[in-house]
Amino acid sequence: MRTAPTILHLDMDAFFASAEQASKPSLRGKAVIVGGLGPRGVVATASYEARVFGVHSAMPMAQARRLAPNAACLVPRFAFYRSISEQVMGLLRSLSPLVEPLSLDEAFVDLEAGGAAGDADSARLVGEGLRADILAVTGLTGSVGLAACKMLAKIASEQAKPDGLVLIEPGTERSLLAPMPVRTLPGVGPATGDHLRRAGIHTVGEIAEAGEGELVRLLGKAHGQALHAMALAHDERPVVAEREAKSVSVEDTYDVDIHDRLRVGLEVRRLADRCVRRLRASGLSGRTIVLKVRRYDFSTLTRSETLRGPTDDPAVVREAAARLLESVDTTGGVRLLGVGVTGLADYTQEDLFAQAAGARAESLAEEPAEEPDEERAAPAERRWPSGHDVRHAEHGHGWVQGSGVGRVTVRFETPLSEPGRVRTFRVDDPDLEPADPLPLVRRRPDGAEGAEGAEGEACAVGGVEPAL
């Protein structure tokens, strides 16, 4: 392990919810919940104001609404979040060539590899500068952890939340870890945690005291040895710049169980097409087609078929998924469907199946050039997801507060305005249309981003203009 805290872990604070609050002045300082709003919706992110009421990610949305009945519940805008994430990752890559993204809002950075820092003082300066740059460019806050290894850097960023920086000095790791609960260590989930507690082990310090032999006896050789090493603050995992994708998949959960077998087949076909579009967008192909079916009773079935070679042909993937569906009993209803492709490669073997040849030309002609933005697909049906951006010919830019019974309620405000007024329209009002998200910060006259400066020069975030 290193002798200097030059591994940085960045975790954006309540990322989705914070982005929504920054975008909507009327929601700043208030409880915001982002996630699926249907009967089976799940919380993706909750603002810190909502967490006070016990709301957290992965919680059923229905439960979150009961805990925080006055919270603003919004449908995610993933294209918007991705555009902000690209800005943040760009800042990280300016520090080092070794940046390991874990998600849209989280990444490790090897500061030593980029020559950005070599000791505790320089690492702290880099971390504080990064936080300031993120705020200036995106208008959002992130928490930074600095340590001599990845495990401790992540623990430090968790301690720094929200909007802070924690640096773990080399030599203090063991004393810091000792009183922490066993679930602090990566790889210790509920089952392992319960197993350790039954053995009388409750803290990281007690894991270290138990010894490697006892942990191997309890958990097996690989897990026991790894856990003992982490309890001693030993983590030799490097920061890996590129993570090889193992699969590409899509899935949908339905508000009402699907009972019609024909409808199930059509949904599988649609998911197969979406999966192929993601494959092609990544420049990949794959050999194994996977079908996932979660039935009415929560039982989940997975079926797979391996082809003779990798493909990114939508007709081939559709036909394989349809064959897999034939072996699944959907009697009683289906609540979730998914289609995935594994065994990825960066090349394609043509003409895998003769039966797909006739359909190939037709499918390619029908397939859109790029995957439509699912968040933007609603306007054709005049549906207005809560939280999404709109523009009215008379009132300007706003966002959807809610819709139903033929009406849509819009609050007219922008990230740089005061809280705006609310108006209600017919869902088919010709003057109302979907809009791209607006930038969260202004651009100064010298071209740099910042919270202050000239208006009207910033590029649209998540729209057709390039991201900031």
Side-chain angles (χ1 to χ4, degrees), residues 68-109:
N70 296 320
C73 298
L74 308 177
V75 176
R77 297 185 291 165
F78 289 112
F80 178 50
Y81 309 145
R82 279 193 294 270
S83 66
I84 300 174
S85 175
E86 289 169 2
Q87 296 174 296
V88 174
M89 296 303 165
L91 292 173
L92 298 182
R93 292 188 180 97
S94 70
L95 300 176
S96 171
L98 292 185
V99 175
E100 183 179 338
L102 304 179
S103 61
L104 289 178
D105 62 335
E106 185 180 2
F108 286 109
V109 184

Side-chain angles (χ1 to χ4, degrees), residues 390-398 410 412 425 429-433:
V390 294
R391 178 170 292 279
H392 191 272
E394 177 183 354
H395 303 291
H397 190 94
V410 178
F412 290 97
F425 308 91
D429 190 319
D431 290 335
L432 190 66
E433 61 182 7

Side-chain angles (χ1 to χ4, degrees), residues 18 52 198 246 332 342 436:
S18 294
V52 172
R198 286 196 295 270
K246 296 182 179 180
T342 65
D436 293 322

Side-chain angles (χ1 to χ4, degrees), residues 2-333:
R2 304 183 183 200
T3 58
T6 54
I7 300 293
L8 180 149
H9 182 261
L10 170 72
D11 196 352
M12 299 294 288
D13 300 322
F15 183 45
F16 297 171
S18 294
E20 296 296 348
Q21 289 177 316
S23 179
K24 302 169 173 62
S26 59
L27 297 185
R28 293 170 190 169
K30 297 181 180 178
V32 174
I33 304 172
V34 179
L37 303 189
R40 293 173 179 166
V42 175
V43 175
T45 308
S47 69
Y48 288 100
E49 294 85 357
R51 296 180 191 188
V52 172
F53 297 97
V55 179
H56 58 78
S57 60
M59 172 183 286
M61 182 61 78
Q63 181 182 358
R65 287 178 182 270
R66 289 194 296 270
L67 292 173
N70 296 320
C73 298
L74 308 177
V75 176
R77 297 185 291 165
F78 289 112
F80 178 50
Y81 309 145
R82 279 193 294 270
S83 66
I84 300 174
S85 175
E86 289 169 2
Q87 296 174 296
V88 174
M89 296 303 165
L91 292 173
L92 298 182
R93 292 188 180 97
S94 70
L95 300 176
S96 171
L98 292 185
V99 175
E100 183 179 338
L102 304 179
S103 61
L104 289 178
D105 62 335
E106 185 180 2
F108 286 109
V109 184
D110 187 336
L111 299 180
E112 187 177 286
D119 55 25
D121 291 339
S122 59
R124 185 181 296 275
L125 286 174
V126 170
E128 293 292 4
L130 174 64
R131 293 177 56 239
D133 288 343
I134 290 173
L135 180 62
V137 171
T138 70
L140 305 180
T141 63
S143 296
V144 168
L146 292 158
C149 66
K150 292 169 71 173
M151 176 189 73
L152 291 167
K154 185 172 175 62
I155 290 173
S157 69
E158 189 64 31
Q159 292 183 328
K161 284 186 166 295
D163 190 21
L165 181 149
V166 168
L167 184 148
I168 299 178
E169 293 280 358
T172 66
E173 297 94 346
R174 292 279 301 274
S175 59
L176 174 76
L177 286 174
M180 292 183 174
V182 294
R183 292 288 302 276
T184 302
L185 299 181
V188 181
T192 301
D194 289 342
H195 198 47
L196 291 171
R197 279 192 291 273
R198 286 196 295 270
I201 300 173
H202 302 275
T203 66
V204 176
E206 290 172 345
I207 291 179
E209 292 173 3
E212 184 178 295
E214 177 65 10
L215 291 169
V216 168
R217 186 186 69 80
L218 288 171
L219 305 173
K221 183 175 181 181
H223 198 183
Q225 288 178 340
L227 203 59
H228 185 253
M230 287 188 290
L232 297 176
H234 296 161
D235 179 14
E236 301 298 336
R237 293 175 299 159
V239 176
V240 181
E242 296 295 333
R243 287 186 157 208
E244 183 178 355
K246 296 182 179 180
S247 65
V248 173
S249 63
V250 296
E251 63 181 43
D252 278 342
T253 300
Y254 304 99
D255 292 342
V256 178
D257 291 348
I258 302 176
H259 294 81
D260 185 351
R261 182 76 178 188
L262 176 60
R263 166 82 187 286
V264 173
L266 291 174
E267 288 295 313
V268 168
R269 178 187 177 95
R270 181 179 63 83
L271 290 167
D273 287 343
R274 282 175 53 196
C275 184
V276 168
R277 288 195 288 270
R278 290 192 178 184
L279 268 180
R280 290 185 168 183
S282 302
L284 298 171
S285 59
R287 294 186 64 226
T288 301
I289 314 303
V290 181
L291 175 70
K292 177 180 177 181
V293 180
R294 181 166 297 151
R295 299 188 292 188
Y296 69 98
D297 58 356
F298 287 90
S299 61
T300 301
L301 304 177
T302 302
R303 300 288 185 269
S304 64
E305 175 181 313
T306 300
L307 312 177
R308 292 198 298 269
T311 184
D312 66 352
D313 190 315
V316 172
V317 176
R318 281 198 300 264
E319 290 185 12
R323 286 193 297 273
L324 294 171
L325 180 62
E326 291 174 0
S327 66
V328 177
D329 179 12
T330 59
T331 304

